[in-house]
Amino acid sequence: MNIQVFEDKNELYSTVAEYYINYINQKPNAILGLATGTTPIPLYKNLIQAYKNGRVSFKDITTFNLDEYIGLPQTHKESYYSFMRHQLFNHIDINLNNTHIPSGILEPNEAIKVYQSQLSKHQIDVQLLGIGSNGHIGFNEPGTSFESTTQITQLAESTIKDNSRMFDSIEEVPTKSITMGIKDIMMANQIIVIATGLNKADAVLKMIEGPVNESLPASILQKHSNVLVFLDKEAASKLTK
Ligand code: F6R
């Protein structure tokens, strides 16, 4: 793992954005794995600005998102379908036909089949990840098999609590998701992890220094040969090395 720690969050995000801009300019038809949640928002803002400044184009880019809540209509403001449109896709020149998000509204087995089949026809170049405070990646919660492929998962109590900040009440947070599996994530050529804030420090410590164990899903990333980790100093504060 290549780990970089930043004093300044703006610098962290502009560094990651520059990485993407260079990558896309070198490979305009790159296949990008994308994430939702709070973590990638400043990255997406930087990329939108770079697009508006004529520094990058997404017209030949293909994307695959990690996950989606089960049961939220696509029009719900917290669906990841909505999130991606509002935080990124509506503001850049991407062809929406080339964007893929697992379906939270199809019959679940059908949704799994459709997504796995789309994934199997593509090789993700760069997969972006945030990390849950409990060490989840995608919505693969602690205890998920490292061999998992696209699946329906029950969200952990801690995840429901973490994500309730986006909803009017905790009762409104969906309890299930459809997510790329851990094996799917590990298939990407390269993985970029961003973590900021003190509430990620324990998970970051275990991801980087802990044993590789299904109780901390992100620890599997130690076994991937090309992982770039971008941390602010709070998220890095418990690292010992
Ligand atoms: C989002 C995802 C999740 C988040 C994680 C961190 O698509 O797959 O694993 O990356 O829950 O969420 P935030 O960024 O909101 O702290």
Side-chain angles (χ1 to χ4, degrees):
M1 285 181 169
N2 176 308
I3 299 153
Q4 294 183 58
V5 181
F6 292 81
E7 288 281 322
D8 174 17
K9 245 200 279 195
N10 290 331
E11 198 190 324
L12 182 163
Y13 282 105
S14 67
T15 305
V16 183
E18 289 307 314
Y19 184 85
Y20 273 96
I21 294 162
N22 287 331
Y23 193 98
I24 294 168
N25 283 329
Q26 274 168 41
K27 188 170 184 186
N29 63 347
I31 302 181
L32 302 180
L34 299 180
T36 57
T38 307
T39 306
I41 293 177
L43 168 64
Y44 295 157
K45 284 203 163 77
N46 277 275
L47 292 178
I48 292 166
Q49 196 53 53
Y51 163 70
K52 289 188 171 153
N53 294 344
R55 297 186 58 218
V56 67
S57 166
F58 296 83
K59 75 180 176 41
D60 296 320
I61 292 290
T62 296
T63 65
F64 282 87
N65 265 80
L66 285 164
D67 42 20
E68 175 62 284
Y69 290 118
I70 293 285
L72 278 192
Q74 287 181 332
T75 50
H76 191 287
K77 69 174 183 22
E78 293 306 330
S79 77
Y80 289 166
Y81 176 95
S82 240
F83 176 101
M84 288 312 301
R85 293 205 172 209
H86 291 119
Q87 300 294 344
L88 184 63
F89 297 156
N90 286 352
H91 311 285
I92 57 175
D93 60 346
I94 198 159
N95 177 348
L96 288 172
N97 293 326
N98 295 335
T99 66
H100 305 82
I101 300 178
S103 171
I105 50 175
L106 273 180
E107 188 280 315
N109 287 321
E110 182 60 18
I112 291 172
K113 221 161 67 189
V114 168
Y115 208 59
Q116 199 65 46
S117 145
Q118 290 169 336
L119 272 177
S120 69
K121 295 185 190 104
H122 297 83
Q123 170 60 46
I124 292 179
D125 290 299
V126 184
Q127 175 65 56
L128 177 64
L129 297 178
I131 179 171
S133 61
N134 65 357
H136 73 214
I137 48 176
F139 272 141
N140 297 287
E141 298 286 19
T144 303
S145 164
F146 286 154
E147 291 304 312
S148 55
T149 53
T150 303
Q151 58 174 343
I152 306 295
T153 65
Q154 187 74 38
L155 299 186
E157 281 304 316
S158 60
T159 302
I160 293 174
K161 208 164 134 228
D162 285 349
N163 291 9
S164 65
R165 69 191 192 279
M166 322 297 272
F167 291 81
D168 291 338
S169 72
I170 195 160
E171 289 73 34
E172 284 179 35
V173 186
T175 56
K176 287 186 177 166
S177 81
I178 174 166
T179 181
M180 254 188 223
I182 293 184
K183 194 170 165 192
D184 300 316
I185 293 171
M186 290 293 283
M187 298 270 279
N189 291 336
Q190 181 170 56
I191 296 177
I192 292 186
V193 186
I194 304 176
T196 64
L198 203 50
N199 68 325
K200 303 293 174 73
D202 283 315
V204 165
L205 169 65
K206 291 177 185 156
M207 167 176 80
I208 295 173
E209 297 183 20
V212 177
N213 189 300
E214 287 171 355
S215 66
L216 201 291
S219 64
I220 189 66
L221 300 174
Q222 293 176 33
K223 301 277 186 199
H224 194 286
S225 59
N226 194 347
V227 180
L228 306 180
V229 183
F230 295 87
L231 305 172
D232 71 354
K233 56 180 192 312
E234 285 81 18
S237 60
K238 297 201 172 162
L239 295 177
T240 65
K241 294 173 195 157

